[in-house]
Amino acid sequence: QVQLVESGGGLVQPGASLRLSCTVSGFSLDMSTIGWIRQAPGKEREFVAGINWSGHNTDYTDSVRGRFTISRDNAKSTVYLQMNSLKPEDTAVYYCAAYGSLYHVISTHPLQYTYWGQGTQVTVSS
């Protein structure tokens, strides 16, 4: 049974930091691309960050580049999203998602991702 379980969301003030975790089971993390995808109220799902199977390639949407960092620990079957300098516009439900791939390229299209977690809420507000 494939499972992706996110944790680490919460309510923070602008400028604060959060670290999201995604623990996976039921598929080979070391043969998968992992992405963090968010959805704000009334908006479509948006690719935020991705990391390829080896961890040697990462990609970010422009609005978070330099503030967010994605990383993975295959031994712990866990992927992380370190979010610094959070802004109100980062408020959304953050989903961890995956698809099987041994390619270097990371898809930025949510529809490419096969497996999804239940999401964790991140709210940035003063």
Side-chain angles (χ1 to χ4, degrees):
Q1 182 180 0
V2 173
Q3 283 191 312
L4 294 85
V5 180
E6 302 99 331
S7 61
L11 170 63
V12 297
Q13 293 187 339
S17 297
L18 280 175
R19 188 176 80 156
L20 305 183
S21 298
C22 172
T23 301
V24 309
S25 60
F27 68 97
S28 298
L29 181 64
D30 58 358
M31 296 176 69
S32 302
T33 292
I34 305 295
W36 285 96
I37 295 160
R38 67 187 178 188
Q39 187 167 25
K43 294 188 176 182
E44 294 184 352
R45 290 188 176 184
E46 174 192 29
F47 172 86
V48 176
I51 187 166
N52 79 326
W53 67 276
S54 68
H56 292 161
N57 188 33
T58 59
D59 196 10
Y60 301 89
T61 191
D62 287 344
S63 63
V64 309
R65 197 180 307 273
R67 299 189 295 124
F68 291 10
T69 303
I70 189 170
S71 61
R72 63 193 295 160
D73 185 338
N74 287 349
K76 295 182 178 180
S77 297
T78 302
V79 176
Y80 305 97
L81 184 67
Q82 178 67 43
M83 306 186 296
N84 298 329
S85 303
L86 283 161
K87 303 176 180 180
E89 50 264 41
D90 294 319
T91 295
V93 176
Y94 283 70
Y95 297 92
C96 175
Y99 66 93
S101 174
L102 293 178
Y103 289 125
H104 185 70
V105 175
I106 297 163
S107 175
T108 62
H109 300 287
L111 291 178
Q112 179 70 47
Y113 290 78
T114 307
Y115 306 121
W116 291 77
Q118 82 287 351
T120 185
Q121 177 70 47
V122 172
T123 302
V124 185
S125 175
S126 55

